Amino acid sequence: MANNMEYRYLGRSGLKVPVLSLGGWITYGSQVNNDMTFQCMKTAFDLGINMFDTAEVYATGQSEIDMGEAIKRLECKRSDLVITTKLYWGGKGPNDRGLSRKHIIEGLRASLARLQLEYVDVVFAHRPDTDTPMEEIVRAFNWVIDQGYAFYWGSSEWSSQQITEAHMVAQRLNLIGPLCEQPQYNMFHRERFEKEYQPIYKNFGLGTTIWSPLASGILTGKYNNSIPSDSRFAISGNSLMERMRTSLSTDEGVAKLEKVRQLSVIAERLGATPAQLALAWCVKNPNVSTVITGASRPSQIVENVRALQIVPKLTSEVIAEIEAILGN
Ligand code: NDP
């Protein structure tokens, strides 16, 4: 793995993660075939991206299957990789979703079978489950760690209060609390990451694996004038993508695209693409442990990794310019 990748500690732990990682939502197991999944993961791995994120719900399990196949084809040592998956939406049965002890244990066993792995490095609670007692959730994640199915556990889209409660319960029981949170964070979506979580980064040594750093591609500028037919917003039959596509024509969507146009001018001046500027901006935040990127083809990964060269160019003057455009 000869590369210039930066590796950061995932919160207050000894686990190092690449500052850019790669996830399979929308793409692997659905938008692209399993060979393209491999091509993307191989390109990423060769550039130092050794962390891959998936979830039991992605393409109803097919993402884990295809990414698991690709992991085998990488022909590297398991210890060279950091693999993460997420549990919450496992199926249609009454016990197939949520964070009961039953679903956490059964769900993780099923994920591991699809991935063809003995363990994942981090297992996430994909969403909070306010119907299941926090003690049950904390005990179940500790149990799967004790069994060797996972090394750490984390939350995704939990509030600061829920993360705090999990730590309080874990401390009372002398168990391990969530090491990291997986929140959305990008130039257009900042509030929770920058304000609400602020006290808990230090209090609990919280690491973060942030998602949708390009706001699903909007920050690349590819949607400024139309919807390219080979982009995720052109996928038919996916209601979420169709909603996101439609949202671009609302007043808010039009205003966002105008901001992307203005950001493109800064990017060009710095010798960067808009995608690289948006990723570099995320990497610059020291509370970010890893930026989970998405890619439907290897060329995007090659472009996105070059964002690391742009980070030093984000001086306080440039950041101020960006802030003036974002206005959030
Ligand atoms: P991004 O916001 O980075 O969007 C990625 C998509 O943007 C790509 O699939 C591609 O789509 C397009 N793209 C990427 N790079 C470029 C480029 N250089 N030029 C042009 N287009 C580009 O991230 P995602 O929304 O995919 O999220 C990343 C990961 O985060 C997911 O895979 C998943 O692992 C995780 N995630 C977690 C969630 C959670 O609830 N915990 C929720 C959502 C995601 P295309 O080619 O089709 O246009």
Side-chain angles (χ1 to χ4, degrees):
M1 269 195 286
N3 59 73
N4 296 317
M5 182 56 60
E6 177 192 343
Y7 299 87
R8 292 183 181 174
Y9 284 106
L10 184 58
R12 203 178 293 146
S13 79
L15 178 65
K16 285 183 197 150
V17 291
V19 76
L20 298 180
S21 45
L22 183 68
W25 179 56
I26 301 285
T27 47
Y28 309 143
S30 45
Q31 187 184 359
V32 305
N33 66 24
N34 55 3
D35 190 58
M36 184 49 75
T37 297
F38 169 71
Q39 298 303 334
C40 288
M41 289 173 63
K42 171 80 176 134
T43 302
F45 185 70
D46 288 346
L47 290 167
I49 296 179
N50 65 336
M51 174 171 163
F52 300 104
D53 178 72
T54 184
E56 62 175 354
V57 70
Y58 292 170
T60 55
Q62 193 63 41
S63 164
E64 290 177 325
I65 292 171
D66 286 10
M67 291 178 81
E69 283 296 330
I71 288 167
K72 274 171 74 178
R73 286 179 67 190
L74 287 176
E75 293 182 343
C76 61
K77 298 199 303 290
R78 176 65 184 85
S79 55
D80 285 338
L81 300 172
V82 176
I83 307 295
T84 63
T85 196
K86 303 185 285 291
L87 304 170
Y88 188 93
W89 296 283
K92 291 195 176 8
N95 281 310
D96 287 339
R97 64 182 289 161
L99 300 177
S100 65
R101 177 178 176 83
K102 180 172 169 64
H103 183 59
I104 289 172
I105 296 171
E106 290 175 345
L108 186 51
R109 281 184 178 145
S111 283
L112 292 174
R114 285 190 292 270
L115 284 161
Q116 302 184 63
L117 293 177
E118 287 176 14
Y119 63 89
V120 288
D121 295 85
V122 187
V123 57
F124 287 89
H126 208 156
R127 287 294 179 272
D129 177 354
T130 50
D131 295 325
T132 300
M134 188 61 87
E135 181 167 334
E136 177 172 340
I137 297 169
V138 170
R139 282 191 188 279
F141 277 115
N142 276 261
W143 190 87
V144 295
I145 289 171
D146 288 345
Q147 297 304 304
Y149 295 160
F151 294 154
Y152 306 89
W153 74 281
S155 56
S156 179
E157 295 299 332
W158 285 25
S159 67
S160 166
Q161 199 182 353
Q162 287 161 332
I163 295 168
T164 302
E165 187 193 345
H167 275 279
M168 293 297 127
V169 169
Q171 275 173 24
R172 175 168 58 76
L173 300 171
N174 207 16
L175 294 173
I176 302 168
L179 171 66
C180 47
E181 157 64 31
Q182 185 169 131
Q184 182 177 176
Y185 182 56
N186 57 55
M187 285 175 163
F188 291 145
H189 192 102
R190 314 169 58 178
E191 178 85 14
R192 179 175 257 183
F193 191 90
E194 292 182 5
K195 297 210 172 86
E196 183 187 320
Y197 289 158
Q198 209 46 243
I200 59 176
Y201 293 127
K202 267 223 172 81
N203 288 355
F204 304 118
L206 191 76
T208 60
T209 68
I210 64 154
W211 59 268
S212 282
L214 298 174
S216 241
I218 296 171
L219 285 161
T220 66
K222 72 196 303 174
Y223 298 118
N224 282 2
N225 302 313
S226 61
I227 310 288
S229 59
D230 61 351
S231 68
R232 62 167 59 176
F233 282 11
I235 303 171
S236 59
N238 181 313
S239 56
L240 178 60
M241 287 301 114
E242 278 167 13
R243 268 207 312 280
M244 289 175 95
R245 181 175 62 221
T246 317
S247 74
L248 289 181
S249 48
T250 62
D251 287 352
E252 198 188 341
V254 170
K256 275 185 184 167
L257 294 180
E258 178 48 33
K259 288 177 184 180
V260 176
R261 283 186 201 99
Q262 293 176 29
L263 290 166
S264 306
V265 177
I266 299 183
E268 199 178 339
R269 203 181 67 223
L270 298 179
T273 63
Q276 289 166 344
L277 179 67
L279 293 170
W281 181 89
C282 292
V283 168
K284 175 115 180 132
N285 188 323
N287 290 319
V288 169
S289 312
T290 184
V291 176
I292 314 181
T293 60
S296 64
R297 64 210 75 171
S299 59
Q300 293 173 346
I301 297 167
V302 172
E303 176 184 334
N304 295 347
V305 168
R306 293 203 185 114
L308 299 184
Q309 295 163 19
I310 305 305
V311 182
K313 298 186 182 178
L314 297 185
T315 58
S316 46
E317 290 79 20
V318 175
I319 292 289
E321 270 185 89
I322 293 172
E323 289 294 345
I325 293 170
L326 294 178
N328 56 358

